Amino acid sequence: MRLLELLVVVLISALAIVMIWGPRPNKNGLKYTLLALYAVTVAQLFIEGYRWQMIPGYAVLLILTVFILLKNKSRQRTRKKRYVIACLLTLIWMLSTSVMVAMPALLPVFSFHQPSGPYSVGTTVYHFIDHERADEYTSA
């Protein structure tokens, strides 16, 4: 993984853990944190470039965005129910983080060095026609 990709995954994971296990944070604080995370993600896209291996990370970022923007404070849950939900969300978080880290690590993008030397590298296509030779397959 490249540096900014790793930073995006770490920040997504930190935000998810705070949302799951942390005290009920202020919704404006979460929005500012989300805005900072989007800034790092956009910087990663412009500086390091897009890679399809990061699609799970981008998807988790969008899911966190939906959860933060649609978060409703009025719901009161019992302590036990909140604990069970937090455990399930932690399991989902661990699986998604594993996928976010595994995709770029297991399927890296290779780059080749520019060819150096006196000879050019490439292919040339030749099409030879021999009008003197009889074609035994198409002639009658």
PDB file of all heavy atoms in Angstrom, residues 70-107:
ATOM      1  N   LEU A  70     -27.210  10.591   8.534  1.00  0.00           N
ATOM      2  CA  LEU A  70     -28.556  10.150   8.911  1.00  0.00           C
ATOM      3  C   LEU A  70     -28.660   9.746  10.369  1.00  0.00           C
ATOM      4  O   LEU A  70     -29.671   9.161  10.777  1.00  0.00           O
ATOM      5  CB  LEU A  70     -28.990   8.981   8.015  1.00  0.00           C
ATOM      6  CG  LEU A  70     -29.071   9.286   6.520  1.00  0.00           C
ATOM      7  CD1 LEU A  70     -29.491   8.047   5.758  1.00  0.00           C
ATOM      8  CD2 LEU A  70     -30.008  10.444   6.248  1.00  0.00           C
ATOM      9  N   LYS A  71     -27.629  10.038  11.141  1.00  0.00           N
ATOM     10  CA  LYS A  71     -27.613   9.635  12.545  1.00  0.00           C
ATOM     11  C   LYS A  71     -28.719  10.360  13.306  1.00  0.00           C
ATOM     12  O   LYS A  71     -28.882  11.568  13.202  1.00  0.00           O
ATOM     13  CB  LYS A  71     -26.254   9.945  13.165  1.00  0.00           C
ATOM     14  CG  LYS A  71     -26.107   9.402  14.551  1.00  0.00           C
ATOM     15  CD  LYS A  71     -24.698   9.588  15.029  1.00  0.00           C
ATOM     16  CE  LYS A  71     -24.607   8.971  16.415  1.00  0.00           C
ATOM     17  NZ  LYS A  71     -23.266   8.891  16.865  1.00  0.00           N
ATOM     18  N   ASN A  72     -29.452   9.588  14.107  1.00  0.00           N
ATOM     19  CA  ASN A  72     -30.569  10.138  14.860  1.00  0.00           C
ATOM     20  C   ASN A  72     -30.261   9.986  16.347  1.00  0.00           C
ATOM     21  O   ASN A  72     -30.094   8.884  16.844  1.00  0.00           O
ATOM     22  CB  ASN A  72     -31.853   9.402  14.483  1.00  0.00           C
ATOM     23  CG  ASN A  72     -33.076  10.053  15.066  1.00  0.00           C
ATOM     24  OD1 ASN A  72     -32.974  11.060  15.766  1.00  0.00           O
ATOM     25  ND2 ASN A  72     -34.228   9.496  14.766  1.00  0.00           N
ATOM     26  N   LYS A  73     -30.215  11.102  17.079  1.00  0.00           N
ATOM     27  CA  LYS A  73     -29.881  11.057  18.505  1.00  0.00           C
ATOM     28  C   LYS A  73     -31.050  10.621  19.379  1.00  0.00           C
ATOM     29  O   LYS A  73     -30.867  10.223  20.505  1.00  0.00           O
ATOM     30  CB  LYS A  73     -29.426  12.442  18.970  1.00  0.00           C
ATOM     31  CG  LYS A  73     -27.985  12.713  18.801  1.00  0.00           C
ATOM     32  CD  LYS A  73     -27.655  13.995  19.497  1.00  0.00           C
ATOM     33  CE  LYS A  73     -26.163  14.133  19.637  1.00  0.00           C
ATOM     34  NZ  LYS A  73     -25.791  15.327  20.342  1.00  0.00           N
ATOM     35  N   SER A  74     -32.253  10.713  18.858  1.00  0.00           N
ATOM     36  CA  SER A  74     -33.424  10.492  19.713  1.00  0.00           C
ATOM     37  C   SER A  74     -33.616   9.027  20.109  1.00  0.00           C
ATOM     38  O   SER A  74     -34.349   8.743  21.044  1.00  0.00           O
ATOM     39  CB  SER A  74     -34.675  11.013  19.014  1.00  0.00           C
ATOM     40  OG  SER A  74     -34.909  10.272  17.831  1.00  0.00           O
ATOM     41  N   ARG A  75     -32.996   8.093  19.394  1.00  0.00           N
ATOM     42  CA  ARG A  75     -33.159   6.678  19.735  1.00  0.00           C
ATOM     43  C   ARG A  75     -32.412   6.335  21.015  1.00  0.00           C
ATOM     44  O   ARG A  75     -31.217   6.550  21.122  1.00  0.00           O
ATOM     45  CB  ARG A  75     -32.625   5.791  18.613  1.00  0.00           C
ATOM     46  CG  ARG A  75     -33.687   5.374  17.646  1.00  0.00           C
ATOM     47  CD  ARG A  75     -33.146   4.318  16.741  1.00  0.00           C
ATOM     48  NE  ARG A  75     -32.766   4.982  15.502  1.00  0.00           N
ATOM     49  CZ  ARG A  75     -31.989   4.497  14.590  1.00  0.00           C
ATOM     50  NH1 ARG A  75     -31.474   3.309  14.735  1.00  0.00           N
ATOM     51  NH2 ARG A  75     -31.701   5.158  13.515  1.00  0.00           N
ATOM     52  N   GLN A  76     -33.110   5.798  21.965  1.00  0.00           N
ATOM     53  CA  GLN A  76     -32.488   5.341  23.207  1.00  0.00           C
ATOM     54  C   GLN A  76     -32.534   3.818  23.226  1.00  0.00           C
ATOM     55  O   GLN A  76     -33.589   3.224  23.071  1.00  0.00           O
ATOM     56  CB  GLN A  76     -33.238   5.907  24.427  1.00  0.00           C
ATOM     57  CG  GLN A  76     -33.171   7.414  24.523  1.00  0.00           C
ATOM     58  CD  GLN A  76     -31.751   7.897  24.772  1.00  0.00           C
ATOM     59  OE1 GLN A  76     -30.964   7.232  25.422  1.00  0.00           O
ATOM     60  NE2 GLN A  76     -31.428   9.067  24.232  1.00  0.00           N
ATOM     61  N   ARG A  77     -31.384   3.216  23.412  1.00  0.00           N
ATOM     62  CA  ARG A  77     -31.300   1.755  23.461  1.00  0.00           C
ATOM     63  C   ARG A  77     -30.840   1.344  24.849  1.00  0.00           C
ATOM     64  O   ARG A  77     -30.135   2.082  25.530  1.00  0.00           O
ATOM     65  CB  ARG A  77     -30.305   1.244  22.422  1.00  0.00           C
ATOM     66  CG  ARG A  77     -30.726   1.500  21.007  1.00  0.00           C
ATOM     67  CD  ARG A  77     -29.779   0.778  20.059  1.00  0.00           C
ATOM     68  NE  ARG A  77     -30.148   1.020  18.695  1.00  0.00           N
ATOM     69  CZ  ARG A  77     -29.527   1.859  17.878  1.00  0.00           C
ATOM     70  NH1 ARG A  77     -28.487   2.534  18.305  1.00  0.00           N
ATOM     71  NH2 ARG A  77     -29.927   2.016  16.653  1.00  0.00           N
ATOM     72  N   THR A  78     -31.206   0.124  25.196  1.00  0.00           N
ATOM     73  CA  THR A  78     -30.713  -0.401  26.462  1.00  0.00           C
ATOM     74  C   THR A  78     -29.222  -0.683  26.331  1.00  0.00           C
ATOM     75  O   THR A  78     -28.675  -0.794  25.235  1.00  0.00           O
ATOM     76  CB  THR A  78     -31.454  -1.701  26.834  1.00  0.00           C
ATOM     77  OG1 THR A  78     -31.172  -2.682  25.841  1.00  0.00           O
ATOM     78  CG2 THR A  78     -32.943  -1.470  26.944  1.00  0.00           C
ATOM     79  N   ARG A  79     -28.584  -0.798  27.472  1.00  0.00           N
ATOM     80  CA  ARG A  79     -27.135  -1.020  27.483  1.00  0.00           C
ATOM     81  C   ARG A  79     -26.770  -2.335  26.797  1.00  0.00           C
ATOM     82  O   ARG A  79     -25.806  -2.401  26.028  1.00  0.00           O
ATOM     83  CB  ARG A  79     -26.647  -1.010  28.929  1.00  0.00           C
ATOM     84  CG  ARG A  79     -25.162  -1.042  29.076  1.00  0.00           C
ATOM     85  CD  ARG A  79     -24.817  -0.916  30.564  1.00  0.00           C
ATOM     86  NE  ARG A  79     -23.414  -0.849  30.767  1.00  0.00           N
ATOM     87  CZ  ARG A  79     -22.710   0.262  30.853  1.00  0.00           C
ATOM     88  NH1 ARG A  79     -23.324   1.415  30.748  1.00  0.00           N
ATOM     89  NH2 ARG A  79     -21.418   0.238  31.049  1.00  0.00           N
ATOM     90  N   LYS A  80     -27.561  -3.368  27.031  1.00  0.00           N
ATOM     91  CA  LYS A  80     -27.281  -4.676  26.445  1.00  0.00           C
ATOM     92  C   LYS A  80     -27.460  -4.638  24.923  1.00  0.00           C
ATOM     93  O   LYS A  80     -26.638  -5.172  24.175  1.00  0.00           O
ATOM     94  CB  LYS A  80     -28.196  -5.733  27.062  1.00  0.00           C
ATOM     95  CG  LYS A  80     -27.917  -7.131  26.577  1.00  0.00           C
ATOM     96  CD  LYS A  80     -28.799  -8.138  27.274  1.00  0.00           C
ATOM     97  CE  LYS A  80     -28.494  -9.536  26.771  1.00  0.00           C
ATOM     98  NZ  LYS A  80     -29.327 -10.537  27.403  1.00  0.00           N
ATOM     99  N   LYS A  81     -28.524  -3.995  24.467  1.00  0.00           N
ATOM    100  CA  LYS A  81     -28.781  -3.920  23.033  1.00  0.00           C
ATOM    101  C   LYS A  81     -27.679  -3.106  22.333  1.00  0.00           C
ATOM    102  O   LYS A  81     -27.215  -3.466  21.266  1.00  0.00           O
ATOM    103  CB  LYS A  81     -30.143  -3.291  22.782  1.00  0.00           C
ATOM    104  CG  LYS A  81     -30.589  -3.363  21.357  1.00  0.00           C
ATOM    105  CD  LYS A  81     -32.024  -2.878  21.215  1.00  0.00           C
ATOM    106  CE  LYS A  81     -32.489  -3.051  19.788  1.00  0.00           C
ATOM    107  NZ  LYS A  81     -33.859  -2.627  19.611  1.00  0.00           N
ATOM    108  N   ARG A  82     -27.262  -2.022  22.982  1.00  0.00           N
ATOM    109  CA  ARG A  82     -26.178  -1.213  22.413  1.00  0.00           C
ATOM    110  C   ARG A  82     -24.880  -2.022  22.330  1.00  0.00           C
ATOM    111  O   ARG A  82     -24.143  -1.927  21.356  1.00  0.00           O
ATOM    112  CB  ARG A  82     -25.973   0.047  23.253  1.00  0.00           C
ATOM    113  CG  ARG A  82     -24.870   0.942  22.756  1.00  0.00           C
ATOM    114  CD  ARG A  82     -24.927   2.306  23.396  1.00  0.00           C
ATOM    115  NE  ARG A  82     -23.691   3.035  23.315  1.00  0.00           N
ATOM    116  CZ  ARG A  82     -23.211   3.625  22.243  1.00  0.00           C
ATOM    117  NH1 ARG A  82     -23.875   3.542  21.113  1.00  0.00           N
ATOM    118  NH2 ARG A  82     -22.066   4.278  22.274  1.00  0.00           N
ATOM    119  N   TYR A  83     -24.611  -2.831  23.348  1.00  0.00           N
ATOM    120  CA  TYR A  83     -23.406  -3.663  23.367  1.00  0.00           C
ATOM    121  C   TYR A  83     -23.446  -4.697  22.239  1.00  0.00           C
ATOM    122  O   TYR A  83     -22.450  -4.915  21.550  1.00  0.00           O
ATOM    123  CB  TYR A  83     -23.260  -4.342  24.729  1.00  0.00           C
ATOM    124  CG  TYR A  83     -22.037  -5.206  24.839  1.00  0.00           C
ATOM    125  CD1 TYR A  83     -20.776  -4.634  24.992  1.00  0.00           C
ATOM    126  CD2 TYR A  83     -22.135  -6.594  24.762  1.00  0.00           C
ATOM    127  CE1 TYR A  83     -19.641  -5.422  25.075  1.00  0.00           C
ATOM    128  CE2 TYR A  83     -21.008  -7.390  24.846  1.00  0.00           C
ATOM    129  CZ  TYR A  83     -19.766  -6.805  25.008  1.00  0.00           C
ATOM    130  OH  TYR A  83     -18.651  -7.589  25.081  1.00  0.00           O
ATOM    131  N   VAL A  84     -24.589  -5.345  22.031  1.00  0.00           N
ATOM    132  CA  VAL A  84     -24.714  -6.357  20.974  1.00  0.00           C
ATOM    133  C   VAL A  84     -24.539  -5.706  19.607  1.00  0.00           C
ATOM    134  O   VAL A  84     -23.819  -6.228  18.740  1.00  0.00           O
ATOM    135  CB  VAL A  84     -26.079  -7.083  21.081  1.00  0.00           C
ATOM    136  CG1 VAL A  84     -26.342  -7.933  19.854  1.00  0.00           C
ATOM    137  CG2 VAL A  84     -26.134  -7.930  22.335  1.00  0.00           C
ATOM    138  N   ILE A  85     -25.165  -4.555  19.401  1.00  0.00           N
ATOM    139  CA  ILE A  85     -25.032  -3.853  18.126  1.00  0.00           C
ATOM    140  C   ILE A  85     -23.580  -3.432  17.908  1.00  0.00           C
ATOM    141  O   ILE A  85     -23.039  -3.555  16.801  1.00  0.00           O
ATOM    142  CB  ILE A  85     -25.992  -2.645  18.076  1.00  0.00           C
ATOM    143  CG1 ILE A  85     -27.428  -3.135  17.983  1.00  0.00           C
ATOM    144  CG2 ILE A  85     -25.665  -1.734  16.897  1.00  0.00           C
ATOM    145  CD1 ILE A  85     -28.462  -2.045  18.118  1.00  0.00           C
ATOM    146  N   ALA A  86     -22.929  -2.946  18.958  1.00  0.00           N
ATOM    147  CA  ALA A  86     -21.528  -2.545  18.843  1.00  0.00           C
ATOM    148  C   ALA A  86     -20.646  -3.737  18.496  1.00  0.00           C
ATOM    149  O   ALA A  86     -19.708  -3.613  17.697  1.00  0.00           O
ATOM    150  CB  ALA A  86     -21.070  -1.890  20.144  1.00  0.00           C
ATOM    151  N   CYS A  87     -20.916  -4.896  19.076  1.00  0.00           N
ATOM    152  CA  CYS A  87     -20.128  -6.098  18.754  1.00  0.00           C
ATOM    153  C   CYS A  87     -20.319  -6.504  17.294  1.00  0.00           C
ATOM    154  O   CYS A  87     -19.345  -6.847  16.599  1.00  0.00           O
ATOM    155  CB  CYS A  87     -20.503  -7.244  19.680  1.00  0.00           C
ATOM    156  SG  CYS A  87     -19.911  -7.034  21.358  1.00  0.00           S
ATOM    157  N   LEU A  88     -21.550  -6.460  16.805  1.00  0.00           N
ATOM    158  CA  LEU A  88     -21.807  -6.806  15.401  1.00  0.00           C
ATOM    159  C   LEU A  88     -21.143  -5.799  14.456  1.00  0.00           C
ATOM    160  O   LEU A  88     -20.535  -6.187  13.452  1.00  0.00           O
ATOM    161  CB  LEU A  88     -23.314  -6.863  15.136  1.00  0.00           C
ATOM    162  CG  LEU A  88     -24.054  -8.036  15.764  1.00  0.00           C
ATOM    163  CD1 LEU A  88     -25.547  -7.899  15.548  1.00  0.00           C
ATOM    164  CD2 LEU A  88     -23.558  -9.348  15.185  1.00  0.00           C
ATOM    165  N   LEU A  89     -21.236  -4.530  14.787  1.00  0.00           N
ATOM    166  CA  LEU A  89     -20.593  -3.513  13.953  1.00  0.00           C
ATOM    167  C   LEU A  89     -19.072  -3.650  13.983  1.00  0.00           C
ATOM    168  O   LEU A  89     -18.396  -3.402  12.980  1.00  0.00           O
ATOM    169  CB  LEU A  89     -21.019  -2.115  14.394  1.00  0.00           C
ATOM    170  CG  LEU A  89     -22.459  -1.735  14.062  1.00  0.00           C
ATOM    171  CD1 LEU A  89     -22.802  -0.389  14.665  1.00  0.00           C
ATOM    172  CD2 LEU A  89     -22.705  -1.742  12.568  1.00  0.00           C
ATOM    173  N   THR A  90     -18.532  -4.048  15.120  1.00  0.00           N
ATOM    174  CA  THR A  90     -17.082  -4.271  15.205  1.00  0.00           C
ATOM    175  C   THR A  90     -16.663  -5.440  14.324  1.00  0.00           C
ATOM    176  O   THR A  90     -15.624  -5.377  13.654  1.00  0.00           O
ATOM    177  CB  THR A  90     -16.671  -4.525  16.663  1.00  0.00           C
ATOM    178  OG1 THR A  90     -17.060  -3.402  17.443  1.00  0.00           O
ATOM    179  CG2 THR A  90     -15.176  -4.748  16.791  1.00  0.00           C
ATOM    180  N   LEU A  91     -17.451  -6.487  14.304  1.00  0.00           N
ATOM    181  CA  LEU A  91     -17.166  -7.620  13.429  1.00  0.00           C
ATOM    182  C   LEU A  91     -17.197  -7.189  11.962  1.00  0.00           C
ATOM    183  O   LEU A  91     -16.296  -7.541  11.182  1.00  0.00           O
ATOM    184  CB  LEU A  91     -18.171  -8.753  13.674  1.00  0.00           C
ATOM    185  CG  LEU A  91     -17.985 -10.012  12.847  1.00  0.00           C
ATOM    186  CD1 LEU A  91     -16.659 -10.679  13.187  1.00  0.00           C
ATOM    187  CD2 LEU A  91     -19.127 -10.964  13.094  1.00  0.00           C
ATOM    188  N   ILE A  92     -18.206  -6.414  11.587  1.00  0.00           N
ATOM    189  CA  ILE A  92     -18.289  -5.906  10.219  1.00  0.00           C
ATOM    190  C   ILE A  92     -17.097  -5.008   9.920  1.00  0.00           C
ATOM    191  O   ILE A  92     -16.505  -5.074   8.834  1.00  0.00           O
ATOM    192  CB  ILE A  92     -19.621  -5.163  10.004  1.00  0.00           C
ATOM    193  CG1 ILE A  92     -20.783  -6.165  10.054  1.00  0.00           C
ATOM    194  CG2 ILE A  92     -19.630  -4.403   8.692  1.00  0.00           C
ATOM    195  CD1 ILE A  92     -22.141  -5.521  10.101  1.00  0.00           C
ATOM    196  N   TRP A  93     -16.724  -4.173  10.898  1.00  0.00           N
ATOM    197  CA  TRP A  93     -15.571  -3.289  10.710  1.00  0.00           C
ATOM    198  C   TRP A  93     -14.294  -4.097  10.494  1.00  0.00           C
ATOM    199  O   TRP A  93     -13.486  -3.769   9.626  1.00  0.00           O
ATOM    200  CB  TRP A  93     -15.418  -2.362  11.919  1.00  0.00           C
ATOM    201  CG  TRP A  93     -14.099  -1.687  11.954  1.00  0.00           C
ATOM    202  CD1 TRP A  93     -13.696  -0.625  11.193  1.00  0.00           C
ATOM    203  CD2 TRP A  93     -12.970  -2.057  12.742  1.00  0.00           C
ATOM    204  NE1 TRP A  93     -12.391  -0.317  11.481  1.00  0.00           N
ATOM    205  CE2 TRP A  93     -11.920  -1.178  12.431  1.00  0.00           C
ATOM    206  CE3 TRP A  93     -12.759  -3.043  13.696  1.00  0.00           C
ATOM    207  CZ2 TRP A  93     -10.682  -1.266  13.033  1.00  0.00           C
ATOM    208  CZ3 TRP A  93     -11.516  -3.121  14.295  1.00  0.00           C
ATOM    209  CH2 TRP A  93     -10.499  -2.241  13.955  1.00  0.00           C
ATOM    210  N   MET A  94     -14.086  -5.157  11.292  1.00  0.00           N
ATOM    211  CA  MET A  94     -12.878  -5.971  11.146  1.00  0.00           C
ATOM    212  C   MET A  94     -12.829  -6.641   9.778  1.00  0.00           C
ATOM    213  O   MET A  94     -11.765  -6.685   9.139  1.00  0.00           O
ATOM    214  CB  MET A  94     -12.792  -7.013  12.264  1.00  0.00           C
ATOM    215  CG  MET A  94     -12.462  -6.408  13.598  1.00  0.00           C
ATOM    216  SD  MET A  94     -12.059  -7.553  14.944  1.00  0.00           S
ATOM    217  CE  MET A  94     -13.205  -8.859  14.786  1.00  0.00           C
ATOM    218  N   LEU A  95     -13.962  -7.145   9.300  1.00  0.00           N
ATOM    219  CA  LEU A  95     -13.994  -7.774   7.976  1.00  0.00           C
ATOM    220  C   LEU A  95     -13.717  -6.752   6.873  1.00  0.00           C
ATOM    221  O   LEU A  95     -12.935  -7.014   5.954  1.00  0.00           O
ATOM    222  CB  LEU A  95     -15.340  -8.454   7.748  1.00  0.00           C
ATOM    223  CG  LEU A  95     -15.605  -9.701   8.585  1.00  0.00           C
ATOM    224  CD1 LEU A  95     -17.037 -10.167   8.403  1.00  0.00           C
ATOM    225  CD2 LEU A  95     -14.638 -10.796   8.210  1.00  0.00           C
ATOM    226  N   SER A  96     -14.348  -5.589   6.965  1.00  0.00           N
ATOM    227  CA  SER A  96     -14.143  -4.588   5.921  1.00  0.00           C
ATOM    228  C   SER A  96     -12.715  -4.043   5.940  1.00  0.00           C
ATOM    229  O   SER A  96     -12.126  -3.800   4.891  1.00  0.00           O
ATOM    230  CB  SER A  96     -15.155  -3.449   6.056  1.00  0.00           C
ATOM    231  OG  SER A  96     -14.951  -2.739   7.249  1.00  0.00           O
ATOM    232  N   THR A  97     -12.151  -3.877   7.121  1.00  0.00           N
ATOM    233  CA  THR A  97     -10.761  -3.413   7.202  1.00  0.00           C
ATOM    234  C   THR A  97      -9.814  -4.462   6.632  1.00  0.00           C
ATOM    235  O   THR A  97      -8.836  -4.128   5.954  1.00  0.00           O
ATOM    236  CB  THR A  97     -10.384  -3.076   8.653  1.00  0.00           C
ATOM    237  OG1 THR A  97     -11.284  -2.082   9.136  1.00  0.00           O
ATOM    238  CG2 THR A  97      -8.971  -2.555   8.756  1.00  0.00           C
ATOM    239  N   SER A  98     -10.099  -5.724   6.886  1.00  0.00           N
ATOM    240  CA  SER A  98      -9.275  -6.793   6.309  1.00  0.00           C
ATOM    241  C   SER A  98      -9.304  -6.745   4.790  1.00  0.00           C
ATOM    242  O   SER A  98      -8.264  -6.891   4.139  1.00  0.00           O
ATOM    243  CB  SER A  98      -9.769  -8.158   6.787  1.00  0.00           C
ATOM    244  OG  SER A  98      -9.694  -8.249   8.176  1.00  0.00           O
ATOM    245  N   VAL A  99     -10.477  -6.514   4.228  1.00  0.00           N
ATOM    246  CA  VAL A  99     -10.586  -6.427   2.766  1.00  0.00           C
ATOM    247  C   VAL A  99      -9.874  -5.182   2.252  1.00  0.00           C
ATOM    248  O   VAL A  99      -9.169  -5.228   1.240  1.00  0.00           O
ATOM    249  CB  VAL A  99     -12.073  -6.435   2.342  1.00  0.00           C
ATOM    250  CG1 VAL A  99     -12.228  -6.111   0.870  1.00  0.00           C
ATOM    251  CG2 VAL A  99     -12.696  -7.781   2.654  1.00  0.00           C
ATOM    252  N   MET A 100     -10.028  -4.044   2.977  1.00  0.00           N
ATOM    253  CA  MET A 100      -9.379  -2.801   2.549  1.00  0.00           C
ATOM    254  C   MET A 100      -7.859  -2.932   2.530  1.00  0.00           C
ATOM    255  O   MET A 100      -7.187  -2.366   1.673  1.00  0.00           O
ATOM    256  CB  MET A 100      -9.764  -1.643   3.464  1.00  0.00           C
ATOM    257  CG  MET A 100     -11.146  -1.110   3.243  1.00  0.00           C
ATOM    258  SD  MET A 100     -11.454   0.421   4.140  1.00  0.00           S
ATOM    259  CE  MET A 100     -11.550  -0.137   5.831  1.00  0.00           C
ATOM    260  N   VAL A 101      -7.310  -3.676   3.471  1.00  0.00           N
ATOM    261  CA  VAL A 101      -5.854  -3.835   3.541  1.00  0.00           C
ATOM    262  C   VAL A 101      -5.387  -4.952   2.609  1.00  0.00           C
ATOM    263  O   VAL A 101      -4.329  -4.842   1.988  1.00  0.00           O
ATOM    264  CB  VAL A 101      -5.422  -4.112   4.995  1.00  0.00           C
ATOM    265  CG1 VAL A 101      -3.960  -4.494   5.072  1.00  0.00           C
ATOM    266  CG2 VAL A 101      -5.698  -2.899   5.867  1.00  0.00           C
ATOM    267  N   ALA A 102      -6.182  -6.004   2.481  1.00  0.00           N
ATOM    268  CA  ALA A 102      -5.756  -7.168   1.695  1.00  0.00           C
ATOM    269  C   ALA A 102      -5.753  -6.893   0.192  1.00  0.00           C
ATOM    270  O   ALA A 102      -4.867  -7.380  -0.517  1.00  0.00           O
ATOM    271  CB  ALA A 102      -6.650  -8.359   2.000  1.00  0.00           C
ATOM    272  N   MET A 103      -6.723  -6.139  -0.297  1.00  0.00           N
ATOM    273  CA  MET A 103      -6.805  -5.918  -1.748  1.00  0.00           C
ATOM    274  C   MET A 103      -5.537  -5.270  -2.308  1.00  0.00           C
ATOM    275  O   MET A 103      -4.936  -5.799  -3.248  1.00  0.00           O
ATOM    276  CB  MET A 103      -8.035  -5.070  -2.088  1.00  0.00           C
ATOM    277  CG  MET A 103      -9.348  -5.798  -1.899  1.00  0.00           C
ATOM    278  SD  MET A 103      -9.651  -7.016  -3.156  1.00  0.00           S
ATOM    279  CE  MET A 103     -10.128  -5.969  -4.493  1.00  0.00           C
ATOM    280  N   PRO A 104      -5.083  -4.132  -1.782  1.00  0.00           N
ATOM    281  CA  PRO A 104      -3.849  -3.563  -2.339  1.00  0.00           C
ATOM    282  C   PRO A 104      -2.606  -4.410  -2.047  1.00  0.00           C
ATOM    283  O   PRO A 104      -1.648  -4.396  -2.818  1.00  0.00           O
ATOM    284  CB  PRO A 104      -3.726  -2.203  -1.645  1.00  0.00           C
ATOM    285  CG  PRO A 104      -5.084  -1.883  -1.170  1.00  0.00           C
ATOM    286  CD  PRO A 104      -5.729  -3.198  -0.859  1.00  0.00           C
ATOM    287  N   ALA A 105      -2.625  -5.162  -0.942  1.00  0.00           N
ATOM    288  CA  ALA A 105      -1.449  -5.962  -0.606  1.00  0.00           C
ATOM    289  C   ALA A 105      -1.360  -7.223  -1.470  1.00  0.00           C
ATOM    290  O   ALA A 105      -0.274  -7.609  -1.905  1.00  0.00           O
ATOM    291  CB  ALA A 105      -1.482  -6.345   0.870  1.00  0.00           C
ATOM    292  N   LEU A 106      -2.488  -7.866  -1.726  1.00  0.00           N
ATOM    293  CA  LEU A 106      -2.479  -9.115  -2.480  1.00  0.00           C
ATOM    294  C   LEU A 106      -2.484  -8.898  -3.990  1.00  0.00           C
ATOM    295  O   LEU A 106      -2.035  -9.759  -4.745  1.00  0.00           O
ATOM    296  CB  LEU A 106      -3.684  -9.981  -2.093  1.00  0.00           C
ATOM    297  CG  LEU A 106      -3.690 -10.490  -0.657  1.00  0.00           C
ATOM    298  CD1 LEU A 106      -4.978 -11.250  -0.370  1.00  0.00           C
ATOM    299  CD2 LEU A 106      -2.484 -11.364  -0.384  1.00  0.00           C
ATOM    300  N   LEU A 107      -3.028  -7.775  -4.437  1.00  0.00           N
ATOM    301  CA  LEU A 107      -3.104  -7.496  -5.861  1.00  0.00           C
ATOM    302  C   LEU A 107      -2.406  -6.171  -6.171  1.00  0.00           C
ATOM    303  O   LEU A 107      -3.054  -5.186  -6.522  1.00  0.00           O
ATOM    304  CB  LEU A 107      -4.575  -7.433  -6.306  1.00  0.00           C
ATOM    305  CG  LEU A 107      -5.405  -8.682  -6.014  1.00  0.00           C
ATOM    306  CD1 LEU A 107      -6.859  -8.420  -6.245  1.00  0.00           C
ATOM    307  CD2 LEU A 107      -4.924  -9.837  -6.867  1.00  0.00           C
TER     308      LEU A 107
END
